[in-house]
Amino acid sequence: MSDRRLLSLLEQAGAVAREAADLLVRMQGEQLSVTRKELRDVVTAADLASERLVIDGLRRLTPEAAILSEEAGFSGPSDTPCWIIDPLDGTVNYAGGLPWFSVTLAYQEQGRTVLGLTHAPLAGLVARYAEGSVASVNREPAAVSRTTSLADAVVSICLTSHYSLEDTERTCAVIRRLSGLCRGVRVIVSGGLEMSLVAAGRLDAFIGLKADIVSHAAATPLVRAAGGRVTTVAGQDSRDEDLEKVVSNGLIHDELLEAIRSA
């Protein structure tokens, strides 16, 4: 795709994400129906309404593209460009009236994310990525923090309701280890938002030990463009399909990996 076409698509998809985010804000004050998913995870009427809006909007923009969505799954041909969307990342936060949720959209060509959007309306954050030309948070160039020591770092980690007991115990072990090493450990549980905060230099790192592609595909290239790193716990560059995501400003990355492994 040409740079001009990609930038045009970024603006048009951004309008779709903004419309979905506005819908979520309006619906958050309503009495929403909540359905249980795996373990204690939930899906709300707002998830489904946002998903319908986003899918319809993206199909108008790119009728030839496939779509992989959090609730609806995969649809479309397997050999074409693909949208990866999470229409409401942070559903438990949202259902509880908390502001830490977002809409995330990623557009991939040949398995590579060339466009990414994360819109977190109540957190006041809009992150945008277009390969080779745009990497921004709230229209400012994305740039990771300059924190050089884990002792001075604020790190977020995902601990969510659909983790198995083993996942939970592993995550809690890392939290215990980091709590004695970092300035602060936060549990926000909206991966697209948290990774965008790393890209903006507001968080120094984010850890997801059981990640999913729909929440993180949009923000992964943004973090790298901002000067950060996204790896597995083993230190290899993390691919979209990898479950582990260790995200940082790069300067504390090796120290962070050592701390995780020691836990």
Side-chain angles (χ1 to χ4, degrees):
M1 182 180 295
S2 69
D3 289 348
R4 179 176 296 181
R5 169 65 177 140
L6 188 61
L7 289 173
S8 175
L9 186 59
L10 180 68
E11 293 299 327
Q12 294 174 86
V16 173
R18 183 169 58 252
E19 186 178 358
D22 290 345
L23 173 68
L24 292 175
V25 171
R26 292 196 304 273
M27 292 187 71
Q28 193 176 30
E30 301 175 4
Q31 186 68 34
L32 295 174
S33 60
V34 177
T35 304
R36 289 190 179 274
K37 293 170 64 177
E38 56 179 319
L39 295 178
R40 289 163 304 284
D41 200 10
V42 298
V43 58
T44 70
D47 288 83
L48 302 177
S50 176
E51 184 175 63
R52 285 193 298 270
L53 188 158
V54 171
I55 289 176
D56 289 347
L58 296 181
R59 282 183 172 151
R60 286 194 297 271
L61 294 179
T62 53
E64 75 286 355
I67 296 177
L68 172 62
S69 180
E70 170 76 1
E71 306 303 335
F74 183 84
S75 63
S78 59
D79 57 349
T80 64
C82 181
W83 287 101
I84 299 174
I85 67 175
D86 193 336
L88 175 49
D89 180 33
T91 299
V92 174
N93 292 339
Y94 178 86
L98 298 171
W100 306 303
F101 62 88
S102 64
V103 178
T104 72
L105 315 179
Y107 185 73
Q108 294 194 336
E109 293 181 334
Q110 298 179 331
R112 185 181 77 256
T113 298
V114 297
L115 181 155
L117 286 155
T118 301
H119 196 125
L122 296 188
L125 179 142
V126 178
R128 297 161 21 108
Y129 172 81
E131 187 177 63
S133 56
V134 176
S136 68
V137 179
N138 293 348
R139 300 285 178 172
E140 296 292 329
V144 295
S145 72
R146 305 309 299 166
T147 303
T148 58
S149 170
L150 197 55
D152 298 321
V154 178
V155 178
S156 70
I157 185 166
C158 186
L159 176 60
T160 187
S161 57
H162 60 264
Y163 277 9
S164 67
L165 180 59
E166 181 182 357
D167 296 327
T168 299
E169 290 178 346
R170 184 181 180 213
T171 301
C172 287
V174 174
I175 292 172
R176 284 193 297 270
R177 178 63 176 153
L178 291 177
S179 65
L181 297 175
C182 298
R183 175 168 292 171
V185 179
R186 300 291 178 264
V187 180
I188 299 171
V189 195
S190 180
L193 170 59
E194 291 164 276
M195 290 180 68
S196 298
L197 290 171
V198 174
R202 301 185 199 176
L203 282 173
D204 299 300
F206 162 72
I207 302 165
L209 297 179
K210 187 183 177 184
D212 61 86
I213 186 173
V214 294
S215 299
H216 304 100
T220 295
L222 175 71
V223 171
R224 289 173 172 151
R229 290 179 65 187
V230 184
T231 74
T232 64
V233 173
Q236 300 170 329
D237 282 348
S238 183
R239 302 162 300 175
D240 286 330
E241 60 268 27
D242 288 330
L243 291 177
E244 296 175 347
K245 291 284 185 296
V246 181
V247 182
S248 83
N249 65 359
L251 301 173
I252 63 168
H253 205 86
D254 291 339
E255 191 181 2
L256 180 63
L257 290 177
E258 183 179 351
I260 296 169
R261 293 169 192 152
S262 70

